[in-house]
Amino acid sequence: MPFSERVLLPNLRKVTPVKRMYPPWTTITEASQIIREGGIVAIPTETVYGLAANALNALAVAKIFAAKERPTFDPLIVHIASASNLPEAAESIPENAWILAEKFMPGPLTLVLPKRKKIPDLVTSSLPTVGIRVPDHPIAREIIREAGVPLAAPSANLFQRVSPTTALHVAEQLGERIDGIVDGGQSRIGLESTIIAFPEGKNPLLLRPGAITLEMLRETIGDIDVNMSSSEPGKALPAPGMVDKHYQPATPLYYGAVPETATLPPKTLHLAFGKISEDERFTKTLNLSADGNLLEATANLYSFIRKLDRLGGDLIVVDPVPENGIGMAVNDRLKRASLKYFPEPNATERR
Ligand code: TXA
Ligand code: MG
């Protein structure tokens, strides 16, 4: 019986969970077996670590939602080994989707396509569409091949928290709730995949920016509309899961220019970008990229937020990152992680 069954379904099987220690990490062969047996296992990808289960097994998929404490209105992405397997999960594939698949798969791009009946409704939150991607990570693809099934895999973190870019990050948050973790080093990109949908009779729609940038997509297929979640109150979300509050550390984080009149709380931590001079107002500064390199900054983003979070400060202040290229995706994540207003003195409290 997979470990996750004992931990997450205690009403079904009354067994006291065993405390898990990491390492040892799970091997590719063990991970494939866990998946075939209906368990859940964290795997490395080039974007972030994913928490994987057999996408065709609704009970296994239910364990992912339970482990992450994720609401079931937030659909999962299905991972396949090669773009040539797209028709196994997608009922139909528009021309533009094929063009993007040929150019960017494997890679950090998720295509939202009409789903096949065999994909359980739980995976797609009952939507008629399914998000599909081919990870550009040899370990992830090897596990999919050995398991012989598509993998439903959200990022391997608790709901609304920071995504993991190392195996240790996964162990910290989910280690005791899941059947294993495969270590594949640090995620090369460090930010979740770009998501694009193909509404009928309309332009393709960017739902989440990522390393496959809007410029790259437009260069390849022409016009694309952009419809990411807006923080305007009362406005409907463009897609389930586009929750405004997301990617949050426990320490309150503020992204944006600090008002000149603001009083910084005593232990203010600083996430910098580019050339900076020493600033005594901050207890600690980490620089995402001293050279202002956006790819380097993206790869460091989540692990540096976690490092600062561990220092138990009052506030994390993040320098502005330019909006061009992958910067659009970094801005998207930081805005969702941020407090909406600079906090009043004494108003900061760990989440
Ligand atoms: O890079 C990634 O995409 C990572 C790695 C593990 O592959 N996965 C990831 O999954 O970021 P997750 O669960 O954290 O984000 C999935 C998001 C959902 O929140 C939702 O916004 C969108 O993908 N999504 C999935 N299926 C969708 C659908 N059918 N229609 C619209 N949006 C969908
Ligand atoms: Mg996520």
Side-chain angles (χ1 to χ4, degrees), residues 43 45 47-51 68 70 74-77 79 108 110 112-113 123-124 127 129-131 133 135 153-157 163 191-195 197 207-208 239-242 246:
I43 63 167
T45 87
T47 57
V48 299
Y49 276 67
L51 179 57
K68 279 182 59 93
R70 175 172 171 133
D74 194 358
L76 306 181
I77 292 171
H79 298 67
T110 296
V112 173
L113 300 169
V123 172
T124 64
L127 288 170
T129 52
V130 56
R133 96 173 186 94
S155 51
N157 52 278
S163 297
L191 206 70
E192 305 80 359
S193 62
T194 305
I195 305 180
L207 293 177
R208 180 172 75 183
M242 297 282 137
H246 214 136

Side-chain angles (χ1 to χ4, degrees), residues 69 72 75 96 99 107 132 144 176 184 228 242 277 296 299 329 335 347 351:
E69 298 174 25
T72 50
N96 277 335
I99 295 170
I132 311 175
I144 301 170
E176 292 182 21
M228 286 135 52
M242 297 282 137
S277 41
E296 184 189 11
K335 281 179 196 156
R351 288 188 270 241

Side-chain angles (χ1 to χ4, degrees), residues 2 4-5 33-41 52-54 60 63 179:
S4 56
E5 209 140 307
Q33 192 180 344
I34 289 169
I35 287 160
R36 279 196 305 269
E37 289 175 355
I40 52 177
V41 59
N54 176 357
K63 292 181 192 169
D179 297 307

Side-chain angles (χ1 to χ4, degrees), residues 73-294:
F73 61 71
D74 194 358
L76 306 181
I77 292 171
V78 168
H79 298 67
I80 56 176
S82 145
S84 59
N85 300 119
L86 277 169
E88 288 169 23
E91 186 79 37
S92 60
I93 299 162
E95 178 69 21
N96 277 335
W98 270 128
I99 295 170
L100 292 176
E102 271 163 24
K103 185 152 176 189
F104 298 116
M105 287 184 165
L109 179 68
T110 296
L111 304 175
V112 173
L113 300 169
K115 84 170 188 80
R116 280 216 183 271
K117 278 206 188 68
K118 70 174 180 184
I119 307 289
D121 285 336
L122 184 59
V123 172
T124 64
S125 306
S126 296
L127 288 170
T129 52
V130 56
I132 311 175
R133 96 173 186 94
V134 181
D136 186 15
H137 196 297
I139 295 180
R141 286 211 307 282
E142 189 54 37
I143 292 170
I144 301 170
R145 278 199 209 95
E146 270 198 38
V149 288
L151 304 186
S155 51
N157 52 278
L158 289 168
F159 183 57
Q160 291 181 327
R161 294 299 194 188
V162 181
S163 297
T165 53
T166 67
L168 264 182
H169 292 166
V170 181
E172 282 161 15
Q173 272 190 13
L174 297 179
E176 292 182 21
R177 304 175 173 201
I178 64 182
D179 297 307
I181 302 171
V182 182
D183 181 19
Q186 195 190 324
S187 294
R188 178 169 55 81
I189 292 171
L191 206 70
E192 305 80 359
S193 62
T194 305
I195 305 180
I196 186 167
F198 303 89
E200 244 186 276
K202 293 191 189 149
N203 284 337
L205 191 61
L206 181 74
L207 293 177
R208 180 172 75 183
I212 305 297
T213 63
L214 189 55
E215 292 92 325
M216 290 156 81
L217 294 169
R218 285 188 171 143
E219 227 167 73
T220 313
I221 56 168
D223 289 345
I224 291 173
D225 293 338
V226 177
N227 196 354
M228 286 135 52
S229 158
S230 117
S231 42
E232 291 168 51
K235 207 173 161 202
L237 295 177
M242 297 282 137
V243 272
D244 208 37
K245 205 176 126 205
H246 214 136
Y247 315 106
Q248 296 190 333
T251 314
L253 180 151
Y254 184 76
Y255 181 53
V258 175
E260 270 176 26
T261 54
T263 317
L264 295 179
K267 195 168 178 189
T268 299
L269 310 167
H270 180 208
L271 192 55
F273 175 81
K275 270 204 181 64
I276 47 153
S277 41
E278 211 162 291
D279 192 329
E280 284 162 4
R281 292 176 306 160
F282 302 118
T283 310
K284 168 100 187 160
T285 295
L286 289 180
N287 201 331
L288 289 170
S289 169
D291 303 333
N293 179 323
L294 272 171

